[in-house]
């Protein structure tokens, strides 16, 4: 585990003991949650963070880390390190896009730290189109400026005019990445399908809510299939929304998420009371 700490920001609630940790996707930053903060901090303590090399988190300076390939385990442990630093023993996690894979990985590495998971625009498998896009990017990542690739990905993932805010936010945040950092994160894409196959074979018992835009043409199909085989999972499809459903339809995203987390927190409290009694 690296000793370098990710940039993070907290909003503490005067009476709640519940923490909600927000995890953004590749190329983004914690600013993607600007439509969630006000709603969530009414009920919970909130932790926002920027993944390594993203937003306000500087690229890793550790030479050993820089020379090696990033892994989902490395990046997940960065997040756990922040929780340790803040003495947050358990939390609810909310993620978007690739951030949902990191949350699943945290749940695998330290299941006792995860009370519940809300996975928005979840990536559970690359279908033919997304796999082809990643392969295309892999072929050209050394010869094409990464922002050209990222703009292409953004337009393929979020093609509609109604998704322009989400698309522009992702492109704006991606400009803060350096070319080398982009390549390190891009290589992670090759690990997605093997990792998600492992999760499919080792089903979680942690309460899980998928929030998917009905127009998330790249990823909604695999999520529907995944939910059918996960007893602990729920799926809520959000109309008039694409991949970044927390921005496209923030009110619906917030309501579903908050209701789900409050229900899990209430259930936990009842269980603890019963066990202690």
């Amino acid at each position: 585990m690296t000793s370098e700490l990710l940039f993070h920001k907290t909003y503490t609630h005067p009476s709640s003991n519940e923490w909600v940790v927000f995890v953004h996707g590749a190329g983004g930053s914690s600013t993607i949650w600007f439509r969630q903060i006000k709603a969530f901090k009414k009920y919970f303590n909130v932790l926002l963070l920027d993944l390594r090399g993203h937003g306000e988190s500087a690229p890793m300076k550790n030479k050993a880390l820089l020379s090696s390939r990033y892994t989902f385990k490395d990046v997940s442990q960065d997040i756990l390190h922040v929780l340790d630093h803040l003495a947050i023993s358990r939390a609810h996690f909310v993620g978007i896009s690739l951030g949902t894979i990191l949350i699943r990985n945290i749940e695998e590495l330290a299941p006792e730290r995860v009370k519940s998971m809300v996975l928005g625009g979840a990536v559970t498998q690359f279908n033919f189109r997304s796999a082809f896009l990643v392969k295309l990017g892999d072929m050209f990542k050394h010869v094409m400026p990464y922002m050209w690739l990222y703009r292409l990905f953004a337009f393929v993932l979020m093609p509609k005019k109604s998704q322009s805010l989400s698309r522009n936010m992702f492109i704006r945040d991606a400009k803060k990445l350096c070319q080398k950092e982009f390549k390190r994160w891009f290589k992670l894409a090759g690990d997605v399908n093997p990792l998600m196959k492992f999760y499919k074979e080792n089903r979680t018992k942690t309460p899980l809510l998928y929030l998917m835009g009905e127009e998330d043409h790249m990823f909604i199909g695999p999520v529907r299939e995944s939910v059918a085989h996960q007893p602990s999972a729920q799926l809520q499809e959000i109309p008039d929304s694409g991949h970044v459903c927390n921005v496209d339809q923030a009110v619906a995203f917030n309501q579903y998420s908050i209701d789900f987390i409050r229900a899990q927190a209430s259930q936990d409290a009842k269980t603890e009371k019963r066990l202690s009694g």
Side-chain angles (χ1 to χ4, degrees):
M1 182 181 292
T2 175
S3 60
E4 298 177 45
L5 202 62
L6 299 178
F7 172 83
H8 58 278
K9 186 173 184 178
T10 59
Y11 297 87
T12 54
H13 191 278
S15 59
S16 176
N17 293 320
E18 304 292 335
W19 277 93
V20 175
V21 181
F22 287 92
V23 185
H24 67 79
S29 77
S30 56
T31 59
I32 200 73
W33 305 110
F34 77 106
R35 288 185 165 175
Q36 278 64 62
I37 298 169
K38 185 177 179 181
F40 275 78
K41 70 180 185 178
K42 289 180 182 178
Y43 303 98
F44 315 111
N45 300 289
V46 170
L47 169 60
L48 303 175
L49 47 79
D50 288 340
L51 300 175
R52 61 167 70 177
H54 289 67
E56 300 300 319
S57 288
M60 294 287 109
K61 296 176 183 177
N62 185 305
K63 290 183 180 179
L65 284 173
L66 285 174
S67 62
S68 63
R69 191 173 184 266
Y70 283 178
T71 67
F72 280 111
K73 184 178 180 180
D74 293 334
V75 184
S76 301
Q77 286 181 325
D78 289 344
I79 299 169
L80 288 170
H81 187 41
V82 175
L83 267 64
D84 292 340
H85 175 75
L86 297 172
I88 300 172
S89 59
R90 298 183 71 214
H92 306 272
F93 287 79
V94 179
I96 194 75
S97 194
L98 182 132
T100 64
I101 300 178
L102 297 178
I103 291 172
R104 288 298 309 273
N105 206 39
I106 289 169
E107 197 264 343
E108 183 65 32
L109 292 169
E112 73 283 356
R113 309 292 293 270
V114 183
K115 288 188 172 184
S116 70
M117 301 180 284
V118 176
L119 307 183
V123 180
T124 59
Q125 182 185 334
F126 282 146
N127 61 17
F128 176 78
R129 281 185 297 179
S130 50
F132 176 77
L133 192 63
V134 168
K135 186 69 176 175
L136 190 69
D138 192 50
M139 289 170 60
F140 291 101
K141 69 178 184 289
H142 295 296
V143 295
M144 187 183 291
Y146 81 90
M147 279 310 302
W148 292 11
L149 283 173
Y150 203 83
R151 283 193 178 93
L152 172 64
F153 296 159
F155 273 95
V156 172
L157 278 173
M158 299 163 268
K160 294 197 171 185
K161 187 176 180 180
S162 60
Q163 298 160 12
S164 60
L165 177 59
S166 303
R167 186 170 62 240
N168 291 337
M169 283 189 68
F170 262 55
I171 292 171
R172 182 198 67 198
D173 282 338
K175 288 178 181 177
K176 295 181 181 180
L177 288 177
C178 66
Q179 183 95 0
K180 286 183 179 179
E181 196 72 16
F182 175 83
K183 288 177 184 177
R184 292 188 191 103
W185 280 88
F186 192 86
K187 286 178 181 178
L188 275 178
D191 296 336
V192 169
N193 277 355
L195 191 63
M196 298 316 294
K197 183 182 178 183
F198 171 80
Y199 292 145
K200 190 174 182 179
E201 293 169 353
N202 297 269
R203 297 171 191 164
T204 179
K205 294 180 180 178
T206 302
L208 165 58
L209 172 64
Y210 288 106
L211 291 178
M212 303 295 294
E214 287 185 353
E215 297 168 358
D216 189 354
H217 58 95
M218 204 72 94
F219 298 111
I220 195 167
V223 169
R224 287 170 179 156
E225 293 176 18
S226 181
V227 169
H229 303 288
Q230 293 187 77
S232 67
Q234 304 173 37
L235 168 61
Q236 182 64 57
E237 298 183 19
I238 302 176
D240 303 315
S241 177
H243 183 57
V244 190
C245 50
N246 67 300
V247 174
D248 292 345
Q249 293 295 338
V251 173
F253 182 96
N254 295 347
Q255 192 64 60
Y256 290 131
S257 301
I258 290 169
D259 287 350
F260 177 76
I261 293 171
R262 291 184 76 189
Q264 301 311 316
S266 176
Q267 187 62 44
D268 281 354
K270 289 178 183 176
T271 302
E272 287 177 13
K273 185 177 181 180
R274 186 173 68 251
L275 292 174
S276 62

